[in-house]
Amino acid sequence: MPELPEVESVRAGLARHLAGRTITAVEVLDPRPLRRQDGGPRAFCDQLTGRVITAAVRRGKFLWLPLDDGRALAAHLGMSGQLLVRGTGTPGPGRRAAEAGDERVGEAPAVAGGADPAPFLGAAQGPRVDMTATRAPSLVRELSVRPRHLRARLQLSAQPQDPGTGAALDLVDQRMLGGLWVDDLVPTADGAPGGVGDRAALLPAGAAHIARDLLDEALDRRGAIARMRFSRRAVKSLLLDQGIVSGVGNIYADEGLWGAGIHGLRPGTALGPRVSGRLLEAVAQVMRRALAVGGTSFDALYVDAEGAAGYFARELAVYGRSGQECRRCRAQLRSEVIGGRSHTFCPRCQTRPRLMREPRHGASRS
């Protein structure tokens, strides 16, 4: 599932291409991704046609496009959802160039002039799990009028920089675990902006339960740390709890735990305030680094709004690397299951909690 860096890359592209455009027509090819829409496809079309998109906003993995009538087009990408813009000119620098003002997220380093970082090194045939580590970024979007797995299309008003082929926003989704719907905007509980991309203290009603993310300047870090330390659950599960901090999935949880030197089985109650703070900052730092290069793409299911894949996979320290050497100490990485999710870790850098250490060969647990 796309995590915060991948969804933020999509959001930034939507903001560049869609802000200020009018939705002139809506076409629904498959109603299943609209299952959260009150009134079904007809209401979806009626409520969007003629509306102006004013911004693109994100909280955690949740996206929305505020409309000029005070509501919003809400979106969740699920496992394989893609929001692709077509027929629009590029109004500003590319996604990997420096973003100005509210478009900046965290302190991710910008790439001068919008150019990509240094080219890749490595053999042409890399391990399947690390596909993008040995390949340069490429456009994977189908440019046909009807791409495969197209579920809905929003026709958009033209702008002077457009090539004249017709501007549109496509929802392309193979597994259809995400979706689109029109939702009411409600005030935020803390009075701060609802998410990255808009200063309005509003967010969709369907996202009101989602906590702020680690790159949100309005996040109450002390409160998040207190909730983690109050729980006896494994810290890996706590990082994935979107009610504590949002936007973290399996990839960046494993990477952050490795960066902080903490095993995922350690219970929240065993974390001191400094250790908890160090862990959250480690997760935030790895997400900033991933965001700077468009996120992590293992296949063509994740692309940004312009159809380009992210390529942070080459920098992953532990995720997907079980059985390989730790980049820090050269011990062999291992994997196990915590709370139904895989966890890859270094047995030397990330010591298991004492009561959960594996028994020695031939010994039994007491």
Side-chain angles (χ1 to χ4, degrees), residues 86-105:
R86 61 173 61 245
T88 63
T90 303
R95 74 168 187 206
R96 297 183 185 112
E99 302 277 1
D102 289 341
E103 295 297 316
R104 288 191 67 98
V105 177

Side-chain angles (χ1 to χ4, degrees), residues 184-269:
D184 293 325
L185 291 173
V186 299
T188 57
D190 56 9
V196 173
D198 191 5
R199 302 304 299 176
L202 299 169
L203 77 167
H209 65 288
I210 298 174
R212 293 188 180 275
D213 60 66
L214 290 172
L215 301 190
D216 189 330
E217 61 184 14
L219 171 68
D220 177 8
R221 287 202 173 217
R222 289 186 178 180
I225 289 172
R227 287 191 292 275
M228 291 176 63
R229 298 186 62 222
F230 184 76
S231 175
R232 297 186 60 84
R233 288 187 292 159
V235 66
K236 169 70 181 279
S237 298
L238 295 174
L239 288 174
L240 300 180
D241 186 339
Q242 304 299 296
I244 297 177
V245 291
S246 63
V248 183
N250 233 24
I251 296 175
Y252 301 109
D254 278 3
E255 293 295 303
L257 286 164
W258 179 85
I262 299 172
H263 194 284
L265 275 174
R266 187 182 297 189
T269 51

Side-chain angles (χ1 to χ4, degrees), residues 10-75:
V10 173
R11 186 211 65 81
L14 296 178
R16 286 195 299 270
H17 289 275
L18 302 186
R21 292 183 187 265
T22 300
I23 302 170
T24 59
V26 180
E27 184 180 6
V28 177
L29 290 87
D30 191 320
R32 286 175 290 178
L34 308 183
R35 57 187 172 274
R36 295 184 64 174
Q37 176 64 53
D38 290 339
R42 173 59 64 183
F44 181 78
C45 297
D46 291 344
Q47 293 175 33
L48 288 178
T49 303
R51 299 272 62 88
V52 177
I53 298 170
T54 62
V57 196
R58 177 196 56 77
R59 177 183 284 210
K61 308 173 189 179
F62 192 91
L63 284 167
W64 66 94
L65 303 176
L67 306 171
D68 63 344
D69 66 350
R71 306 191 79 195
L73 172 59

Side-chain angles (χ1 to χ4, degrees), residues 31-350:
R32 286 175 290 178
L34 308 183
R35 57 187 172 274
R36 295 184 64 174
Q37 176 64 53
D38 290 339
R42 173 59 64 183
F44 181 78
C45 297
D46 291 344
Q47 293 175 33
L48 288 178
T49 303
R51 299 272 62 88
V52 177
I53 298 170
T54 62
V57 196
R58 177 196 56 77
R59 177 183 284 210
K61 308 173 189 179
F62 192 91
L63 284 167
W64 66 94
L65 303 176
L67 306 171
D68 63 344
D69 66 350
R71 306 191 79 195
L73 172 59
H76 197 288
L77 301 181
M79 291 293 293
S80 59
Q82 301 170 351
L83 290 173
L84 303 174
V85 293
R86 61 173 61 245
T88 63
T90 303
R95 74 168 187 206
R96 297 183 185 112
E99 302 277 1
D102 289 341
E103 295 297 316
R104 288 191 67 98
V105 177
E107 298 296 329
V111 181
D116 288 335
F120 294 111
L121 301 175
Q125 298 298 325
R128 182 177 180 182
V129 71
D130 198 15
M131 186 182 77
T132 55
T134 56
R135 294 184 175 89
S138 61
L139 292 178
V140 298
R141 172 178 52 170
E142 295 185 51
L143 298 178
S144 63
V145 176
R146 284 290 185 272
R148 191 178 183 188
H149 307 305
L150 176 65
R151 309 304 180 185
R153 171 168 292 171
L154 278 59
Q155 301 289 349
L156 305 168
S157 60
Q159 292 185 351
Q161 70 271 12
D162 293 347
T165 55
L169 172 65
D170 289 349
L171 171 65
V172 177
D173 195 349
Q174 178 177 328
R175 299 176 184 174
M176 293 189 291
L177 297 177
L180 299 175
W181 66 100
V182 180
D183 204 355
D184 293 325
L185 291 173
V186 299
T188 57
D190 56 9
V196 173
D198 191 5
R199 302 304 299 176
L202 299 169
L203 77 167
H209 65 288
I210 298 174
R212 293 188 180 275
D213 60 66
L214 290 172
L215 301 190
D216 189 330
E217 61 184 14
L219 171 68
D220 177 8
R221 287 202 173 217
R222 289 186 178 180
I225 289 172
R227 287 191 292 275
M228 291 176 63
R229 298 186 62 222
F230 184 76
S231 175
R232 297 186 60 84
R233 288 187 292 159
V235 66
K236 169 70 181 279
S237 298
L238 295 174
L239 288 174
L240 300 180
D241 186 339
Q242 304 299 296
I244 297 177
V245 291
S246 63
V248 183
N250 233 24
I251 296 175
Y252 301 109
D254 278 3
E255 293 295 303
L257 286 164
W258 179 85
I262 299 172
H263 194 284
L265 275 174
R266 187 182 297 189
T269 51
L271 299 175
R274 291 185 180 180
V275 173
S276 301
R278 187 178 80 236
L279 172 59
L280 293 185
E281 182 55 29
V283 178
Q285 287 287 0
V286 75
M287 289 197 294
R288 291 187 187 103
R289 289 167 47 216
L291 177 58
V293 293
T296 304
S297 297
F298 292 114
D299 53 37
L301 290 181
Y302 163 68
V303 293
D304 70 6
E306 297 169 353
Y311 52 101
F312 188 67
R314 67 174 181 168
E315 297 187 36
L316 292 175
V318 288
Y319 183 83
R321 299 188 64 243
S322 179
Q324 300 181 46
E325 285 188 350
C326 173
R327 300 192 191 279
R328 189 159 49 204
C329 72
R330 297 191 175 183
Q332 187 179 71
L333 299 177
R334 299 180 186 177
S335 63
E336 58 185 299
V337 176
I338 298 177
R341 306 293 295 275
S342 65
H343 173 52
T344 304
F345 65 98
C346 173
R348 185 176 298 168
C349 297
Q350 298 165 266

